[in-house]
Amino acid sequence: MTDTAPTATRGSVLAEAAIWPAFMIVAVLHALPTGLNPLTDMVSEYALGRYSTLTKACFLAIAVSAYCLAVGLRSALPPVRAVKTATTALTVMAAATAALPFFAADPDRPSTPHGWVHLAAALLGMVSLIVAAFAVAAHTRSHSASRPSSALLTRLGFVCVAVMSVSLVLMLARVFPGLTERVLILAGMVWIGAVARSLRH
């Protein structure tokens, strides 16, 4: 534990340090005069306007947070299947999210190569996050009887998985796609922040 504990702590601290600024950036973007409709326009479309640098910084912060959380989980938890699944999914999410600033989204529907790459990376990142949250919740459930903090993290994990899954389905069905995407992103950020905080304690 003496070798892995500092790594786990550093990973969790960096994950938290990156995810909350990303959350604040998303909040600020909604207060700026972007001309976008949060109910129908996607978050990626903020990168097409005058606040593109801010939006791209948000994507990169989320990617850094996901990768740091994967490092923290890998160091703090035993190398069982659920943990390996979670860390792999978080690493994939980090890579996919890091690609978003370099492949701009097309307004409305993808019609160019970079638009299709952006869509594929965004969907891969969202699905990977859901897989990671489910795997961590499944792992912590086995400790929930003896550790109240594990029970709380398990409940939060499964709630976030449900919210993100329903939001993803509704988003793909074009049911208020902007709103459902934002709900998914918010739930994902809350989950990342909560897990990172739990690793510190």
Side-chain angles (χ1 to χ4, degrees), residues 126-137:
M126 292 174 183
V127 172
S128 297
L129 178 58
I130 294 172
V131 170
F134 181 83
V136 171

Side-chain angles (χ1 to χ4, degrees), residues 56-143:
K56 292 174 181 178
C58 178
F59 292 147
L60 292 177
I62 294 173
V64 169
S65 182
Y67 179 74
C68 289
L69 183 59
V71 172
L73 287 172
R74 189 180 296 116
S75 301
L77 301 180
V80 296
R81 180 179 299 178
V83 175
K84 290 180 180 179
T85 299
T87 56
T88 300
L90 282 169
T91 303
V92 171
M93 179 207 167
T97 307
L100 297 181
F102 305 100
F103 297 92
D106 292 328
D108 193 23
R109 292 181 181 274
S111 57
T112 62
H114 60 75
W116 283 109
V117 172
H118 182 97
L119 176 62
L123 290 176
L124 178 61
M126 292 174 183
V127 172
S128 297
L129 178 58
I130 294 172
V131 170
F134 181 83
V136 171
H139 175 73
T140 56
R141 181 173 57 183
S142 62
H143 301 284

Side-chain angles (χ1 to χ4, degrees), residues 23-50:
F23 176 84
M24 293 302 299
I25 291 175
V26 173
V28 168
L29 285 171
H30 286 77
L32 295 174
T34 60
L36 297 177
N37 185 345
L39 295 179
T40 56
D41 297 322
M42 313 301 278
V43 171
S44 297
E45 294 183 42
Y46 289 118
L48 304 177
R50 59 194 292 192

